[in-house]
Amino acid sequence: MDQRTPADLTCDLLTAARAVSLSAARRARAQDRDDGFPADDVADLARLGLLAAPVPSALGGAGLGEEPAARTLVDVLRLVGYGSLALGRLYEGHVNALQLIARYGDPEQHARWFADARAGHLFGVWNTEPSGGGLVLAEAGAGYRLEGVKTFASGAGFVTRALVTGRSPSGGVVMLVVPLVPGDRADLSPWQAQGMRASATGTLDFDGLEVSADTVLGDRDDYFRQPDFSGGAWRFAAVQLGGIEAVLDAWRTHLVQLGRGTDPHQLSRLGEGLIAVEGARQWVTRAAALVADRTLSTDRVVAFVNLSRLAVEKAGLDLLQLAQRSVGLQGFLRTHPLERLSRDLATYLRQPGPDRALTGAAAEILTTRDIAGDLWTGDQRDGVAA
């Protein structure tokens, strides 16, 4: 059991995240290629204790994400994303995997997989698959034989503990944690995106891989349980927030270095950018708090988190437009820091189902007559509003 106080743990985790952020930012340009991967940065995450940090405090870990309002996790994800969005994407998946294991695993699974996290294994969560070619489990002796692929799998070829969803022989979708060999079964050639090139996003072929029965995590369809399934979107929004802040700082540095900070038009754009960034920060922080607090109904929490992810997306897109107009053509040259930061952010902001997230949140609010100020307070009194 860790004997440090909560304040000490928070300070240590944030110090580690800042160190990772600084080194990742220095390396990011060299990693920006189709075969790039932030291997040294992942090693830093392990060395500084951040890969093991999400292990629950009751099981001897730092309990990152358990703290009130999950504020420390917000800041850790933000800082890592500030240094490198590709690294932030990988770390967010690692955190998500360990949280799912903590929530649905049995004691033996906790002991095994949390020991792997402490040993430096990188976890990931992969659920995307092509229609008709997704992952299925077939009974094979005392375990299962896997067939099918996962697509858009970030860290493919580098993640050594993959938490994946698959269709069970008995029906429904189950989670399982599959040990993988680095460099095996991964195809990165389909990932031809303009940004997030260093995220090693690709296809992982599971055909013929046999796993033991104790790799299955929880019960069928646990993965889709709300509010955690949709509510967890605040984590990738926190990483995006870090990328948004990095764009703001690159833009601000450009204005200072070129002596353009006294131009009223430039100052106006920068002011608008600051409003966008702070708005995104408030949305993410509040979303994390509501998910952790659990006083709102499940549907209300999901609605708020969906609005949060869209508010962060809008803030990011607005900031990109402002920064690119302010910096001009230089910001599109590969030698300028803003160029890669913009590509990575624009790519990572493209998350699935934005229209469904927006209309679903609006539909939830139409079902209540609470006044606007009570929608997210946990003190709903249906029928107050006319």
Side-chain angles (χ1 to χ4, degrees), residues 1 55-61 63 66:
M1 187 70 66
V55 173
S57 56
L59 298 175
E66 294 176 348

Side-chain angles (χ1 to χ4, degrees), residues 1 23 31 51 82 107 124 128 144 148 165 172 187-188 191 193 195 217 231-232 265 298 354:
M1 187 70 66
S23 57
Q31 297 163 355
L51 288 187
Y82 182 96
T128 307
Y144 299 98
T165 53
D187 179 11
L188 301 183
W191 185 243
L217 178 67
H265 303 292
T298 292

Side-chain angles (χ1 to χ4, degrees), residues 46-386:
R47 178 177 58 84
L48 295 173
L50 289 175
L51 288 187
V55 173
S57 56
L59 298 175
L64 179 62
E66 294 176 348
E67 68 281 346
R71 182 56 191 265
T72 304
L73 181 55
V74 170
D75 287 332
V76 168
L77 291 171
R78 175 181 61 82
L79 287 165
V80 175
Y82 182 96
S84 164
L85 279 177
L87 180 66
R89 167 69 191 97
L90 295 165
Y91 186 58
E92 188 276 328
H94 177 86
V95 171
N96 187 15
L98 293 186
Q99 289 188 339
L100 287 168
I101 290 168
R103 189 173 300 122
Y104 296 114
D106 61 36
E108 191 279 331
Q109 290 173 325
H110 286 165
R112 181 170 75 251
W113 290 327
F114 292 153
D116 286 346
R118 293 188 183 95
H121 284 277
L122 181 64
F123 287 67
V125 176
W126 300 338
N127 63 5
T128 307
E129 55 192 28
S131 58
L135 191 62
V136 297
L137 288 69
E139 293 181 355
Y144 299 98
R145 184 180 64 256
L146 307 181
E147 302 291 341
V149 303
K150 288 294 181 181
T151 56
F152 295 105
S154 294
F158 298 91
V159 163
T160 52
R161 298 293 184 270
L163 192 156
V164 297
T165 53
R167 286 178 289 284
S168 167
S170 59
V173 173
V174 298
M175 293 179 285
L176 57 159
V177 179
V178 181
L180 295 172
V181 177
D184 193 25
R185 297 176 172 269
D187 179 11
L188 301 183
S189 62
W191 185 243
Q192 298 293 318
Q194 66 169 349
M196 301 290 284
R197 298 168 71 195
S199 64
T201 297
T203 300
L204 207 296
D205 185 356
F206 290 88
D207 278 353
L209 187 64
E210 294 192 0
V211 296
S212 58
D214 62 2
T215 61
V216 174
L217 178 67
D219 296 324
R220 65 181 185 178
D221 298 328
D222 274 348
Y223 180 74
F224 302 106
R225 294 191 185 278
Q226 298 286 21
D228 299 301
F229 176 64
S230 297
W234 73 259
R235 291 188 307 269
F236 70 67
V239 178
Q240 292 170 343
L241 172 60
I244 291 170
E245 293 177 344
V247 167
L248 177 73
D249 283 349
W251 168 22
R252 183 171 53 131
T253 298
H254 175 91
L255 295 178
V256 171
Q257 290 178 343
L258 271 67
R260 296 179 179 173
T262 58
D263 184 289
H265 303 292
Q266 297 286 25
L267 288 173
S268 177
R269 292 189 190 103
L270 186 61
E272 293 289 338
L274 291 167
I275 291 172
V277 173
E278 188 57 31
R281 187 195 319 279
Q282 296 296 334
W283 276 101
V284 171
T285 303
R286 185 78 185 279
L290 289 180
V291 172
D293 188 52
R294 304 282 175 149
T295 57
L296 290 179
S297 69
T298 292
D299 290 342
R300 197 65 60 87
V301 170
V302 170
F304 189 91
V305 174
N306 280 336
L307 291 176
S308 299
R309 53 170 280 204
L310 295 172
V312 172
E313 178 193 54
K314 184 178 187 304
L317 294 174
D318 288 348
L319 186 75
L320 284 173
Q321 182 182 48
L322 289 163
Q324 289 171 342
R325 175 164 290 189
S326 181
V327 174
L329 182 60
Q330 290 185 63
F332 290 85
L333 301 179
R334 285 193 295 272
T335 53
H336 197 285
L338 186 62
E339 190 270 340
R340 178 190 55 79
L341 292 171
S342 297
R343 282 191 289 106
D344 283 352
L345 180 59
T347 301
Y348 194 35
L349 287 173
R350 299 272 72 81
Q351 294 292 332
D355 296 327
R356 183 172 63 251
L358 181 62
T359 57
E364 160 62 18
I365 298 311
L366 282 178
T367 66
T368 180
R369 296 180 63 193
D370 299 327
I371 63 173
D374 290 340
L375 290 175
W376 319 110
T377 63
D379 186 29
Q380 289 86 33
R381 297 183 179 89
D382 195 53
V384 171

